[in-house]
Amino acid sequence: MLIGPQNFAVRLRDIRDRIARAAKSAGRDPASITLVAVGKTHPAALLRTAATAGVTDFGENYLQEAAGKLDLLADLPLRWHYIGRLQANKTRAIATRFDWVHGVDRADIARRLSEQRSPHAPPLNVCIQVALAAETNKGGIPPAGVADLAASTAQLPRLRLRGLMCLPPPQADPARQRPVFAAMRALLQELNARGLALDTLSMGMSEDFEAAIAEGATMVRIGSALFGPRQ
Ligand SMILES: *Cc1c(COP(=O)(O)O)cnc(C)c1O
C-alpha cells in the first residue's frame, strides 16, 4: 500500500498523540521527546511528505541508501540521524553527512568520527550504544564498558557526546522492555553523577516507544508505525 500525504498525516497525528499521552502519564513534557522518523527502505518522496507534515528528524541505517535521500532532500532543513551499524570504512561519509550518530560502541570508531568531522561543521552529536539485553549481533557495548568509553568519547574535540542508545530484541509484551529502559536511565544518571552532562536517551521503536517514554526516553526511533511495513 502506498502512503499518500493525507494518510501519512493521520499516522503522524496518531503517533504524536500516543507520545504525548505516554509523556503525560509519566509526568513528562511531551516537548522533551523527539520523534526520529526511521525511513529505511522508504523512498525520498515519502520522507518529503513527512517533512512537509512537520517531521524534522530522520533516521537511516544504510549509508548508500541514505546518501541518495540526503541529496534528494538537500533543500529541506532536516536533521539526519545515522542509526545503523558503524564500519570503519564508512565513518568519513557518516561524519560528513549526518548530524547525529546513535550507535557508537568502540573507541576507535569514535576517534575516527571526530577526526573526520569537518572543522566548519558543528560538532557531531553522538550516543553510545549499550547492549543491555542479550543482543547478539546488533552492536553495543556491555554496561561495564560504558563509563570508560563515555569518558574518552567526551574528550574528542569534534564530537558532542549526548547520551545513550539501545536496541533490545523485540518482546511480545512491550511492558517486558521496561526493565531494560529503566537500566538505561540508571546508567545515564550514573554517568552524569561522574561529571558528564548527558541529555539523551535514544530508546523505543514502533512496538515499544510508550514503555521507553515511561522510563525516560528523549528520542524515539519510529519506522513502521509511521511509514508502514518495510519493502
Ligand atoms: C529500523 C530501526 C528502527 C525502527 O524500527 P520500527 O520497529 O520500524 O519502528 C529504530 N531503530 C533502529 C536502530 C532501527 O534499525
Side-chain angles (χ1 to χ4, degrees):
M1 188 194 68
L2 224 62
I3 296 183
Q6 288 185 353
N7 206 328
F8 181 83
V10 171
R11 282 169 176 263
L12 179 62
R13 197 175 324 124
D14 174 60
I15 295 290
R16 289 216 192 278
D17 283 350
R18 287 170 62 189
I19 289 172
R21 258 179 280 140
K24 284 190 188 126
S25 58
R28 302 183 54 203
D29 178 2
S32 67
I33 297 151
T34 300
L35 168 63
V36 178
V38 176
K40 60 173 175 255
T41 79
H42 297 293
L46 183 54
L47 274 53
R48 183 174 291 278
T49 295
T52 305
V55 176
T56 52
D57 289 78
F58 289 86
E60 290 288 336
N61 290 63
Y62 307 107
L63 178 61
Q64 207 177 345
E65 178 192 343
K69 295 186 207 173
L70 267 86
D71 289 341
L72 287 166
L73 301 173
D75 57 310
L76 300 173
L78 306 175
R79 277 185 296 273
W80 290 96
H81 299 248
Y82 186 79
I83 62 172
R85 292 301 301 272
L86 287 156
Q87 293 162 286
N89 63 344
K90 306 253 170 76
T91 51
R92 182 175 299 281
I94 291 166
T96 304
R97 305 215 55 184
F98 283 82
D99 304 293
W100 282 74
V101 174
H102 291 231
V104 172
D105 61 1
R106 280 161 43 195
D108 63 317
I109 293 281
R111 200 172 50 245
R112 289 177 72 93
L113 288 169
S114 181
E115 285 167 4
Q116 294 168 344
R117 181 71 167 176
S118 159
H120 308 295
L124 182 63
N125 297 292
V126 300
C127 291
I128 289 175
Q129 184 179 346
V130 187
L132 273 168
E135 298 111 314
T136 42
N137 57 356
K138 300 249 174 177
I141 180 172
V146 170
D148 281 350
L149 181 57
S152 67
T153 303
Q155 298 299 318
L156 293 168
R158 303 299 302 135
L159 301 188
R160 182 166 168 217
L161 179 61
R162 297 295 296 268
L164 304 176
M165 177 267 210
C166 70
L167 186 52
Q171 295 280 353
D173 176 6
R176 296 190 51 196
Q177 299 286 29
R178 288 274 298 254
V180 172
F181 296 143
M184 288 286 287
R185 190 223 302 251
L187 202 49
L188 192 86
Q189 282 166 349
E190 230 173 273
L191 295 172
N192 282 338
R194 289 171 183 239
L196 295 174
L198 309 181
D199 61 8
T200 301
L201 278 174
S202 167
M203 58 190 196
M205 320 201 317
S206 291
E207 298 301 324
D208 56 15
F209 69 88
E210 284 139 320
I213 289 169
E215 297 294 351
T218 64
M219 281 189 170
V220 290
R221 310 179 308 267
I222 299 183
S224 44
L226 265 182
F227 295 123
R230 284 184 273 281
Q231 279 98 51

